[in-house]
Amino acid sequence: MPRPFVAYLRVYEPLSSFDATSRDRLERALRAGPVAPSVVADREREVWLRTQLASPTRLFPGDGVPAGRRLEGLTDVLVIRPEDVVSLDAPGADTGSTVAGDDEESSTAHDLLVCPLDIRARAAAGMVGFLSTASPPLLAEALPMAPDAVRSRAAAVVAEMAGGAVHVVSSTWSVPLPWFSLVDPAARRLVLAPLDDPERRVSWRVPLADARRRAEHAHGVVRESIGPEGPAALLRDTGRWLDHFHPGSALELDYGGLVQLMDDEELSEDTSAQDVHRMVEAFEEGEAAVIAELYEKLRDFWAEVASRERFS
């Protein structure tokens, strides 16, 4: 079975920045073994299916469990070291410049960067989105209770989040173009492997401070050029999301299961991040022809990737 065709934007926070209760839970998850990025989507699919197949059916993972133990078994976590996050565009930086410490032995468990999957809260947030977009007949068929009751339950679950924001947002079948403006194109990590190999991967990791700066800059440029809606609104909301996290965090953009939809040549020659950054520059310079050319290129590339949904 292929991995779900989902791309991710993830924030990794310093383990030391979490409150004592959350940190204790995360440390237990780390001792049990962090989740590999290659199996994240499969893990989330498994948890969701077990929830739906339970008797009685549960709306969200963790339902039916006492509040004090609700997140036990749901605290899957990704982990990276500070030295795995390179800032290529900091003043005076080179490819050896990192968030913290260049020594291979410098990272202890205390200063690891961790990304909880927040499966329960993300399921509830996804349900809110489903409620706002699905047709009444679909809602009547899919929901075990009235939509207003489901919305209330979902809001209560989202409110359980310590810090008020999930660490992961996702997109199916495509990558929102504004996401590319957050990363440094030169920081791309490309791992070519067979289509069904979970190690096949495209990703970027950058310091959160750099991502925030880029989001603010791109938002201002795009809003001034084409107005506050569309891409500007997504950049605004993404910037607000990033503001929830510790300044020493890292941001990761990961193509996830989308790499199964592209061959090696497409992945190797993909310049989406460079093209989006060039578009932002073109907006600043008023280069309408460049904007149109790049937008058409990006639109065609990602529309072709998304169109493969019909063959799945």
Side-chain angles (χ1 to χ4, degrees):
M1 178 182 295
R3 285 177 283 162
F5 300 108
V6 180
Y8 298 96
L9 203 58
R10 305 185 182 107
V11 172
Y12 293 76
E13 288 195 276
L15 181 60
S16 58
S17 69
F18 289 84
D19 63 69
T21 300
S22 298
R23 187 165 62 248
D24 181 62
R25 187 171 64 249
L26 290 167
E27 287 174 342
R28 291 199 300 274
L30 288 172
R31 289 194 293 271
V35 178
S38 58
V39 302
V40 162
D42 289 322
R43 169 60 178 157
E44 293 175 343
R45 177 167 56 190
E46 174 193 349
V47 170
W48 180 252
L49 287 175
R50 282 197 278 112
T51 300
Q52 299 308 298
L53 294 175
S55 182
T57 300
R58 298 166 183 166
L59 269 178
F60 307 115
D63 280 358
V65 179
R69 297 191 298 110
R70 189 166 287 155
L71 294 182
E72 295 301 324
L74 293 175
T75 312
D76 289 317
V77 61
L78 295 161
V79 62
I80 58 177
R81 302 168 303 173
E83 56 264 30
D84 293 331
V85 184
V86 179
S87 179
L88 298 176
D89 62 353
D94 57 28
T95 56
S97 300
T98 61
V99 169
D102 293 320
D103 186 348
E104 182 73 16
E105 302 299 324
S106 65
S107 292
T108 66
H110 190 64
D111 56 22
L112 288 173
L113 299 173
V114 297
C115 176
L117 296 188
D118 300 327
I119 291 176
R120 176 172 165 82
R122 286 173 54 219
M127 180 65 78
V128 172
F130 175 69
L131 290 169
S132 65
T133 59
S135 64
L138 179 57
L139 292 174
E141 183 67 26
L143 299 179
M145 60 184 71
D148 285 347
V150 173
R151 185 176 287 104
S152 178
R153 290 272 301 278
V157 170
V158 172
E160 296 172 2
M161 278 293 302
V166 296
H167 289 76
V168 183
V169 294
S170 58
S171 174
T172 56
W173 297 103
S174 186
V175 177
L177 295 182
W179 285 8
F180 290 108
S181 69
L182 308 177
V183 301
D184 188 322
R188 186 174 76 148
R189 298 164 181 243
L190 171 64
V191 179
L192 296 179
L195 285 177
D196 58 354
D197 189 325
E199 296 307 314
R200 183 179 180 85
R201 195 174 182 212
V202 174
S203 63
W204 292 257
R205 291 173 183 164
V206 297
L208 189 73
D210 290 355
R212 283 174 170 164
R213 173 179 51 78
R214 294 189 190 106
E216 182 178 5
H217 174 72
H219 172 244
V221 170
V222 174
R223 181 189 59 196
E224 181 69 21
S225 301
I226 60 175
E229 303 304 321
L234 180 56
L235 285 164
R236 178 200 64 214
D237 293 343
T238 302
R240 290 173 177 173
W241 173 62
L242 296 178
D243 286 342
H244 283 88
F245 302 106
H246 188 278
S249 302
L251 180 76
E252 179 177 65
L253 170 56
D254 186 351
Y255 278 13
L258 299 188
V259 296
Q260 301 165 111
L261 299 171
M262 294 174 265
D263 62 30
D264 288 359
E265 183 178 0
E266 287 176 304
L267 289 180
S268 298
E269 296 183 359
D270 171 31
T271 57
S272 295
Q274 292 95 320
D275 293 342
V276 169
H277 279 255
R278 180 67 183 96
M279 279 187 70
V280 173
E281 294 176 357
F283 275 122
E284 287 186 286
E285 300 300 325
E287 298 173 314
V290 174
I291 295 168
E293 179 182 355
L294 290 172
Y295 177 73
E296 182 177 4
K297 175 186 175 184
L298 288 160
R299 180 197 61 196
D300 291 348
F301 178 82
W302 286 104
E304 170 61 21
V305 172
S307 72
R308 296 167 193 178
E309 178 180 5
R310 66 179 181 268
F311 301 119
S312 66

